[in-house]
Amino acid sequence: MTARPEIEAVTARIRERSRASREAYLERLDHAAGQAVHRSVLSCGNLAHGFAACGPTDKVALSGDRVPNLGIITAYNDMLSAHQPFEPYPNMIKEAARAAGGVAQVAGGVPAMCDGVTQGQPGMELSLFSRDVIAMAAAVGLSHNMFDAAVYLGVCDKIVPGLVIAALTFGHLPAVFIPAGPMTSGLPNDEKARIRQLYAEGKVDRAALLEAESKSYHGPGTCTFYGTANSNQMLMEIMGLHTPGSSFINPNTPLRDALTKEAAKRALAITALGNEFTPVGRMIDERSIVNGVVGLNATGGSTNHTMHLVAMAAAAGIKLTWDDIAEISDHVPLLARVYPNGLADVNHFNAAGGMGFLIRELLDDGYLHEDVRTIWGEGLRPYTVEAKLADDGTVARLPAPATSGNEKVLTTAAKPFQQTGGIRVLSGNLGKSIIKISAVKPEHRLIEAPAIIFHSQDEMQEAFKAGKLDRDFIAVIRFQGPKANGMPELHKLTPALGVLQDRGRRIALVTDGRMSGASGKVPAAIHVTPEALDGGMIGKLRDGDPMRLDAEKGTIEVLVDADELAARESAAPDLSANQFGMGRELFAGFRQLAGRADQGAAVF
């Protein structure tokens, strides 16, 4: 079954635009793949170092060339809930590999920072750049050239995109991504948001706030809202990098463990030593990337992926643009309502039918490319299933349910929540920006009001606490882009903005920074490009400038005469405070090299 003409047209445009870079990438991939089984090119001294710490059985196996060896790249740490469940995975993977006639070694670890811990803190200014550090750290682990395939253990915001960039850089190797799953449902996300707003207004104390937060984030696994972490898991499944039905199974359950062991065996099966060789750089192509963009829009996923998908595609020689994302959004219906796009969490989404139901609906209506390669084989149709635990402890798969288990959470393509996707690109005389339209109620999608200019989120917080913002306005928070301070998320502003909106004020946010994948109901034009420090028009705005944000029409404008704007000098704030402390001094080179948000904001 072919995709709809609108989807095919975008894919064809990406393919043509990427022809030269994609061909050069595939030439490099084929050259690397043609170097024989990689341990055969190592000297005896190289190889002895590579298996010196192995047990006798693995050492004998690795001394030859005919036993596949899995490299494990892990983002495990035991401070962060999403990554703590990875602790036993390496041993499970090693045991599964031995049972299948192979070997597995931990090739390396990568950092995994939590935006939830660093929100509003100096460490958040390292967050976006950690993606590229993760890619480089994974490359160091794989550079030992000991491996026939790699499995990647990562879940959260920058970790998965960084690992995908690394996997595609080593595209001659098969790559299987193994998730850890979401924590069980705790305090409902809308109740947590209500307590946050009460705290922002001074109506509850810190103890009440901490109690609510602790009941929401309460155990192992990803946070249950549909932010960047869970958008990552959706992407890995719809792009064919997970095993079918594995994304949203809770940690520390028999099914989760069975899926992990199965994934290790599948990685061994698709090496060059078997009959199903699936190098990830050839598996992921323009169709896979478009399928990811479709999934992002159909679920109202994280705005961060408007940067991450561009950077991930670039690692495979594929040139994805915001215009492509916008055009796909115009044609793809919204089929999921998960907080902040609704009241449900990802566990409710999974119970309603989850990824299998979603993929089937999108395939049957022609929104996805079915004729892709995945780690499971040919075609995306095998992903229209749900995973269950068989009586013998292995994974069984059943067809996804014919009807949604909860039509308020997951619906059909015939009855979408809205006719267009969850993310929209805004264009105008400020440049381009992104808005998560699916989280914003229709009555809040058009805002025309005067600008109030801030150069940090702390400035705006102070103005709110001082009672200076109880009016209609558009908050402009600039010098928050990659070159200025690493592009921290500004999610800490959400409670204050929510309070003002609930009071009936007409407000919006415009920034060259980011908002969390969890941010929602207040219209926010984010990732404004070019950023203020890169000569962007946002740097020329002044207090009181009339502005208009129209999320329906996809426009963002400052209503000031073009000649007057051109004659203005850009503001020049003191950014020295963003250059030191919490490791920020080590990232000066990253800030200098960072690309534009619409080009992936990468340092590569």
Side-chain angles (χ1 to χ4, degrees):
M1 180 178 178
T2 59
R4 287 172 173 247
E6 302 90 345
I7 302 299
E8 291 282 4
V10 176
T11 308
R13 188 170 65 234
I14 295 170
R15 185 180 294 115
E16 183 59 32
R17 183 193 307 130
S18 308
R19 189 174 302 280
S21 55
R22 178 68 173 169
E23 287 177 356
Y25 170 80
L26 292 175
E27 286 179 11
R28 296 194 302 271
L29 184 155
D30 290 344
H31 176 76
Q35 300 302 301
V37 177
H38 307 295
R39 288 181 301 284
S40 67
V41 305
L42 300 179
S43 72
C44 292
N46 296 151
L47 195 54
H49 278 85
F51 60 52
C54 291
T57 302
D58 289 349
K59 190 173 293 188
V60 170
L62 289 175
S63 64
D65 294 328
R66 305 311 302 167
V67 174
N69 185 23
L70 296 183
I72 303 169
I73 300 292
T74 178
Y76 163 72
N77 64 56
D78 66 6
M79 184 189 77
L80 303 179
S81 64
H83 294 88
Q84 186 268 350
F86 284 133
E87 182 177 14
Y89 276 37
N91 284 336
M92 273 193 277
I93 292 167
K94 290 176 185 179
E95 291 171 6
R98 292 189 192 105
V103 179
Q105 296 176 289
V106 175
V110 302
M113 70 177 293
C114 177
D115 292 355
V117 176
T118 57
Q119 282 295 351
Q121 305 299 322
M124 175 54 80
E125 295 182 16
L126 308 187
S127 173
L128 179 60
F129 293 144
S130 76
R131 180 195 66 191
D132 297 359
V133 171
I134 288 161
M136 292 187 283
V140 171
L142 295 173
S143 70
H144 295 101
N145 205 19
M146 287 280 292
F147 310 108
D148 300 278
V151 293
Y152 296 87
L153 313 182
V155 176
C156 282
D157 296 17
K158 315 311 169 297
I159 295 90
V160 167
L163 293 176
V164 171
I165 291 169
L168 291 170
T169 302
F170 283 76
H172 61 288
L173 297 177
V176 175
F177 281 66
I178 306 180
M183 68 177 69
T184 56
S185 300
L187 184 74
N189 286 293
D190 60 325
E191 175 63 11
K192 172 195 66 183
R194 186 183 73 84
I195 299 298
R196 285 179 176 176
Q197 287 194 189
L198 290 174
Y199 180 75
E201 293 180 281
K203 294 179 179 178
V204 300
D205 61 13
R206 179 181 169 86
L209 177 64
L210 182 57
E211 180 183 11
E213 299 284 0
S214 299
K215 286 180 178 178
S216 181
Y217 309 118
H218 63 89
T222 61
C223 308
T224 60
F225 59 79
Y226 194 54
T228 312
N230 287 315
S231 297
N232 282 337
Q233 306 316 299
M234 178 280 300
L235 283 173
M236 292 303 94
E237 187 153 347
I238 208 167
M239 292 172 66
L241 287 162
H242 278 173
T243 57
S246 63
S247 294
F248 297 116
I249 305 301
N250 300 123
N252 304 319
T253 60
L255 178 55
R256 178 83 276 161
D257 292 349
L259 285 162
T260 298
K261 295 170 186 175
E262 179 192 65
K265 293 177 181 178
R266 185 61 192 168
L268 290 171
I270 60 176
T271 70
L273 296 178
N275 297 320
E276 299 181 71
F277 182 42
T278 310
V280 69
R282 283 203 172 271
M283 187 194 98
I284 296 295
D285 63 12
E286 295 86 354
R287 295 166 299 176
S288 309
I289 297 296
V290 167
N291 282 354
V293 177
V294 169
L296 187 71
N297 277 290
T299 58
S302 171
T303 53
N304 282 319
H305 281 298
T306 60
M307 292 184 295
H308 296 327
L309 274 167
V310 171
M312 289 154 58
I318 298 169
K319 296 181 178 181
L320 177 71
T321 70
W322 280 5
D323 289 335
D324 300 325
I325 296 172
E327 186 167 337
I328 290 171
S329 179
D330 286 342
H331 297 293
V332 172
L334 182 71
L335 303 187
R337 284 262 183 226
V338 187
Y339 188 86
N341 303 324
L343 298 181
D345 67 26
V346 292
N347 293 309
H348 303 133
F349 166 78
N350 196 53
M355 290 300 300
F357 184 99
L358 176 80
I359 291 171
R360 188 194 65 220
E361 286 297 313
L362 292 171
L363 276 175
D364 287 353
D365 264 52
Y367 293 107
L368 291 172
H369 292 286
E370 187 169 349
D371 58 337
V372 292
R373 294 178 71 186
T374 74
I375 63 166
W376 209 240
E378 293 294 331
L380 194 59
R381 185 65 59 173
Y383 282 75
T384 61
V385 296
E386 59 178 332
K388 300 288 187 181
L389 190 68
D391 291 339
D392 62 358
T394 61
V395 180
R397 288 182 171 84
L398 303 174
T403 59
S404 171
N406 187 339
E407 293 183 350
K408 294 181 179 179
V409 177
L410 183 60
T411 188
T412 64
K415 297 189 297 182
F417 295 118
Q418 65 183 45
Q419 294 294 335
T420 56
I423 291 173
R424 181 152 295 170
V425 176
L426 306 179
S427 301
N429 58 2
L430 288 184
K432 288 188 175 182
S433 63
I434 298 292
I435 188 168
K436 189 171 186 174
I437 191 173
S438 57
V440 180
K441 291 182 178 180
E443 61 266 30
H444 297 305
R445 293 179 180 177
L446 171 61
I447 304 293
E448 188 169 323
I452 303 179
I453 311 298
F454 303 100
H455 288 166
S456 74
Q457 57 183 326
D458 290 335
E459 282 185 17
M460 201 201 108
Q461 293 276 39
E462 292 168 5
F464 171 75
K465 291 176 182 177
K468 298 179 180 179
L469 300 181
D470 198 5
R471 49 185 163 134
D472 295 354
F473 70 99
I474 292 180
V476 176
I477 305 182
R478 61 193 182 190
F479 296 99
Q480 304 297 306
K483 290 183 178 298
N485 63 355
M487 207 181 194
E489 288 183 347
L490 306 177
H491 182 54
K492 193 175 179 179
L493 298 177
T494 302
L497 291 168
V499 167
L500 295 169
Q501 187 180 76
D502 289 350
R503 290 176 184 171
R505 298 307 184 188
R506 305 284 294 168
I507 59 168
L509 173 68
V510 174
T511 180
D512 50 9
R514 294 186 294 133
M515 289 290 277
S516 165
S519 301
K521 67 181 185 179
V522 175
I526 60 177
H527 309 177
V528 170
T529 302
E531 64 174 284
L533 198 65
D534 200 26
M537 186 63 73
I538 189 174
K540 294 186 175 185
L541 298 185
R542 296 175 181 171
D543 281 330
D545 282 347
M547 298 185 68
R548 181 183 178 90
L549 185 159
D550 190 334
E552 295 286 0
K553 291 184 177 179
T555 58
I556 177 71
E557 300 276 352
V558 54
L559 306 178
V560 175
D561 180 75
D563 290 338
E564 180 184 341
L565 285 174
R568 289 181 182 178
E569 294 289 328
S570 184
D574 180 6
L575 298 175
S576 60
N578 303 104
Q579 297 172 5
F580 298 93
M582 288 296 161
R584 288 177 288 181
E585 51 267 63
L586 301 178
F587 285 76
F590 279 62
R591 291 189 293 273
Q592 292 170 9
L593 290 171
R596 287 169 40 146
D598 60 344
Q599 297 170 358
V603 301
F604 305 130

